[in-house]
Amino acid sequence: MPTRRAPGQPRLAATLIAALMAGSGLALGLAPASLRAQAATGAEAAELGRSLNGVLAYARERHPEVRAMRHEADAAAERVTPAGALRDPMFQMELRDVTNEATGGNFNLLPARVGSTRYQFRQTFPAWGQRDAKRDAAQASAEEAGLRAEATWAEVAMRIKTTYARYQQVGALLDQNREILGLMQRLESVSQLRYAQGLAPQQDAIRAQVERTGMTGELLMLESEQTALRARLNALMTRPVDAPLAVPVGDGGLPNLAQLDAAALRERVLARNPSLRAEDARVRASERGRDAVWANRYPEFTLGVAPIQSGSRVAEWELMFEINIPLQQGVRRAEEREALSMLAAAQARKEAAANDALAALGENLAALQAARQIDTLTTTSLLPQAELTLQAALTGYETGRVDFATLLEAQRQIRQARVNLIRTRAEARMRLAEIERLLGEEL
């Protein structure tokens, strides 16, 4: 027989449902009203850590690994001009008959007071096409270094986005658990009141206390994880690990997946991925390096001019032409085989990188699609059903048709559904970060 509600006792289902749906801020959007109000204030919105864009902007200019790669790219760019330049010209001065024996004079080192002085200016010219090949190879290497810097930033940005998604997830879980903990405290008070009135057994109050203690332990673990993630984010931004960092607003929601067309993304990855473009630049550098080695088959030549001074006047002029004879063909053939092997290695490396990038893209797209389906199923079916179950359990407990264990199980179901939804959305954002790393740009 249903237990009669005590006179003046507030209707339990209406009170707790209102608290759960309105006061808790844990409806389908999963963004607590208190945090939405905080986000509206300009001061808190400007705090570092409040938004992912602010964290990325801060880290982009300060991360040491990124700065190191940029400096290396700058250094590689400075090698282009020397690679295609001529060698420095040579100057030679030759003093002849410094003892002046032919004229009966004394030892002297002044050009006008020796037998004669020969001044020679020489300039060496490399084989035809070698300078252009070396300059182009250096240019391609500089482009590769610049693209490696972009790839490094894409990798660092992915790590930041992944860590931030987890940081955001833990913050949302903390908000939810605190609200549920408040609900459990109210349920505990109601169960104690019902026990005091003889309408419920003492076991109900004990179970409520056990549930609340367990949730308090979960809160402590989540707070510890939040501290660890805050330290990791600070390290990625090159800040002290214990520096203050604002808490993100809400759980971030599911990323916009409308533009994630698989075929179009594959084309964009092959065309824009920084690592693939760097491998392509390495292939071009290897090709031009091979051309420079092949140019060694042709001889270098040197031109020179030499005025000869006798006394205080130039009495003679000499012209000089010098050429090297490329007789060491074994050495040159070995250098050519080395250049061909380096080119083949660069081409194979590019192919392997393309395969890895496309495989990673397919894996992350599949995970994103699964996350979208789980999100839709949870928000349109599972959560409404769990909320109806909780409402029915609250009503049944109030009238004595349902025991407290059933009420706790209904509360656990709705809490678990929301936890899974928060984690699914965080996983989706991490997968999107992987895709943006593959693209080398934001979606």
Side-chain angles (χ1 to χ4, degrees):
M1 181 176 180
T3 305
R4 186 172 180 273
R5 180 164 52 96
Q9 178 183 343
R11 187 168 182 81
L12 179 63
T15 302
L16 294 181
I17 285 293
L20 182 66
M21 302 306 171
S24 68
L26 292 173
L28 300 183
L30 293 171
S34 59
L35 288 180
R36 289 197 300 269
Q38 292 175 5
T41 63
E44 293 191 7
E47 292 179 5
L48 186 60
R50 185 70 68 187
S51 68
L52 175 60
N53 290 337
V55 173
L56 290 173
Y58 188 94
R60 189 179 184 94
E61 301 300 325
R62 293 170 175 84
H63 197 279
E65 188 177 355
V66 176
R67 288 190 289 112
M69 293 300 294
R70 287 175 183 159
H71 290 314
E72 290 183 4
D74 293 340
E78 297 301 329
R79 300 188 192 110
V80 177
T81 299
L86 290 171
R87 300 176 192 171
D88 289 333
M90 297 294 294
F91 170 74
Q92 179 183 10
M93 184 175 69
E94 180 183 350
L95 299 176
R96 300 173 177 177
D97 192 16
V98 295
T99 59
N100 289 301
E101 291 185 2
T103 58
N106 298 321
F107 177 84
N108 204 307
L109 292 178
L110 294 176
R113 296 185 179 182
V114 297
S116 63
T117 302
R118 182 173 181 267
Y119 305 96
Q120 186 184 64
F121 300 90
R122 288 182 299 167
Q123 176 65 62
T124 299
F125 297 91
W128 182 262
Q130 192 175 73
R131 288 175 58 199
D132 291 339
K134 288 183 176 180
R135 182 176 56 249
D136 293 345
Q139 181 65 48
S141 296
E143 292 176 9
E144 179 189 355
L147 291 167
R148 295 290 179 198
E150 291 184 19
T152 299
W153 166 244
E155 178 69 26
V156 171
M158 184 272 295
R159 284 154 49 193
I160 291 174
K161 292 173 185 177
T162 300
T163 305
Y164 191 85
R166 293 183 58 195
Y167 184 59
Q168 205 167 25
Q169 168 192 331
V170 171
L173 290 175
L174 277 169
D175 290 333
Q176 174 185 262
N177 278 21
R178 290 188 183 110
E179 297 294 346
I180 293 291
L181 183 60
L183 173 62
M184 285 307 306
Q185 291 171 342
R186 289 191 288 272
L187 286 176
E188 181 183 353
S189 299
V190 171
S191 63
Q192 290 175 348
L193 177 62
R194 288 174 61 82
Y195 167 68
Q197 296 174 345
L199 302 177
Q202 185 181 14
Q203 187 179 8
D204 289 0
I206 296 175
R207 285 181 176 177
Q209 291 173 354
V210 170
E211 187 76 10
R212 180 170 57 82
T213 302
M215 292 188 63
T216 302
E218 291 182 17
L219 276 175
L220 293 175
M221 293 179 62
L222 286 171
E223 288 172 353
S224 175
E225 185 177 0
Q226 187 182 55
T227 301
L229 290 170
R230 184 185 297 116
R232 186 178 303 175
L233 265 178
N234 279 326
L236 288 170
M237 290 187 289
T238 321
R239 303 174 73 219
V241 293
D242 58 349
L245 195 64
V247 178
V249 178
D251 74 333
L254 193 69
N256 183 14
L257 307 178
Q259 71 273 39
L260 299 184
D261 178 70
L265 284 177
R266 282 193 291 269
E267 295 295 328
R268 290 174 66 180
V269 166
L270 293 176
R272 303 183 187 182
N273 180 272
S275 295
L276 290 182
R277 292 168 61 199
E279 294 297 342
D280 184 65
R282 179 182 291 189
V283 169
R284 287 187 279 111
S286 298
E287 289 173 345
R288 299 306 287 161
R290 174 203 59 190
D291 296 342
V293 170
W294 282 357
N296 289 334
R297 295 182 177 185
Y298 306 104
E300 293 183 348
F301 61 94
T302 303
L303 296 178
V305 60
I308 299 176
Q309 177 182 353
S310 294
S312 59
R313 66 187 183 86
V314 175
E316 300 177 54
W317 286 84
E318 294 180 355
L319 292 177
M320 184 270 292
F321 176 77
E322 178 182 306
I323 187 171
N324 73 318
I325 302 175
L327 290 180
Q328 302 298 329
Q329 294 301 312
V331 174
R332 287 174 173 78
R333 296 299 178 266
E335 291 175 346
E336 291 169 4
R337 289 192 296 270
E338 177 191 3
L340 289 173
S341 296
M342 294 298 294
L343 175 58
Q347 291 170 337
R349 192 176 291 108
K350 176 185 176 183
E351 182 179 353
N355 289 335
D356 290 344
L358 292 178
L361 176 65
E363 177 184 349
N364 287 291
L365 282 176
L368 265 179
Q369 181 64 27
R372 176 163 53 184
Q373 293 173 349
I374 293 174
D375 183 273
T376 301
L377 178 65
T378 303
T379 55
T380 60
S381 180
L382 184 57
L383 268 177
Q385 291 170 359
E387 288 165 357
L388 289 174
T389 300
L390 178 60
Q391 183 176 4
L394 286 169
T395 304
Y397 181 68
E398 180 190 29
T399 59
R401 291 192 299 268
V402 171
D403 59 13
F404 195 71
T406 302
L407 178 59
L408 287 181
E409 181 62 27
Q411 178 269 136
R412 290 192 191 105
Q413 288 178 0
I414 193 170
R415 179 161 64 99
Q416 189 60 45
R418 288 170 178 155
V419 166
N420 291 339
L421 185 60
I422 292 173
R423 289 175 176 168
T424 296
R425 290 176 172 178
E427 177 68 18
R429 291 194 299 277
M430 288 188 277
R431 294 291 185 172
L432 186 64
E434 288 277 0
I435 293 175
E436 290 176 340
R437 178 186 67 84
L438 294 171
L439 290 175
E441 60 186 10
E442 303 290 330
L443 281 172

